[in-house]
Amino acid sequence: MTNVLATNISFTINGTPRTLSLAPWVSLLDALREHLDLTGTKKGCDHGQCGACTVLCDGKRTLSCLTLAVMKNGSNITTIEGVGQPGRLHALQQAFIDHDAFQCGYCTPGQICSAIGMLQEGRAQTREEVKELMSGNLCRCGANNYIIDAIMEVKDQPR
Ligand code: FES
Ligand code: FES
């Protein structure tokens, strides 16, 4: 059935311009997963409480489950699929591997997108600050300490 309320929404996803016709109530998370097949971004709580759905919108970490797709019309969005590729991983992806920073991996895309955004914010200096600023991203496997280890390694690398 055609949705008479659907509007065209254009954004750049992982460097590629995309236009979708979506109802105004479609979340950015559902737009990514259901309409663009970008399933690397995970749906955990769908209520803004777990961080699994974190993506970068114009460089800022964003909970895509709490964001309507229409709000990001014209934005530049990066999902985990745009962060790195096999053979040329982002430094954080490599650090997560090196530090055993994931078990089931469900939270990992959100953790990595959030960590990239956090490092770009430039506010975290100490391990405690990194821990605090990453506290919106939950890991049900309990890999949090290793996640912080991985982030600290990359944070201290020259960029
Ligand atoms: S799915 Fe968005 S915060 Fe949990
Ligand atoms: S690695 Fe399983 S939830 Fe974090």
Side-chain angles (χ1 to χ4, degrees):
M1 187 171 65
T2 306
N3 187 331
V4 291
L5 291 176
T7 52
N8 283 346
I9 302 165
S10 299
F11 22 41
T12 301
I13 311 268
N14 300 329
T16 303
R18 303 295 301 260
T19 298
L20 296 174
S21 181
L22 295 175
W25 53 81
V26 175
S27 70
L28 179 59
L29 176 58
D30 286 342
L32 294 170
R33 288 182 55 87
E34 310 296 333
H35 296 267
L36 293 167
D37 239 0
L38 292 168
T39 53
T41 304
K42 299 298 186 242
K43 183 180 281 192
C45 63
D46 210 16
H47 282 86
Q49 293 176 348
C50 73
C53 65
T54 306
V55 298
L56 295 164
C57 292
D58 298 319
K60 294 192 174 14
R61 48 192 178 150
T62 301
L63 294 175
S64 60
C65 73
L66 290 188
T67 305
L68 296 174
V70 70
M71 292 162 63
K72 293 301 168 189
N73 196 16
S75 293
N76 199 337
I77 295 165
T78 303
T79 69
I80 193 66
E81 289 89 346
V83 167
Q85 301 295 327
R88 53 178 185 87
L89 297 179
H90 186 281
L92 269 168
Q93 291 172 314
Q94 188 59 53
F96 267 58
I97 294 169
D98 295 343
H99 289 274
D100 285 334
F102 57 90
Q103 292 176 40
C104 78
Y106 198 80
C107 72
T108 310
Q111 300 276 6
I112 288 178
C113 287
S114 189
I116 292 171
M118 182 201 63
L119 292 176
Q120 286 171 359
E121 288 162 18
R123 291 188 291 145
Q125 303 305 324
T126 66
R127 185 181 178 91
E128 277 312 302
E129 286 169 344
V130 168
K131 206 170 160 184
E132 174 64 25
L133 291 168
M134 288 297 296
S135 62
N137 288 78
L138 307 181
C139 176
R140 282 172 288 187
C141 294
N144 300 80
N145 277 335
Y146 298 143
I147 290 169
I148 305 301
D149 289 344
I151 295 171
M152 289 306 287
E153 182 190 304
V154 173
K155 177 187 169 316
D156 293 336
Q157 284 175 5
R159 273 177 288 152

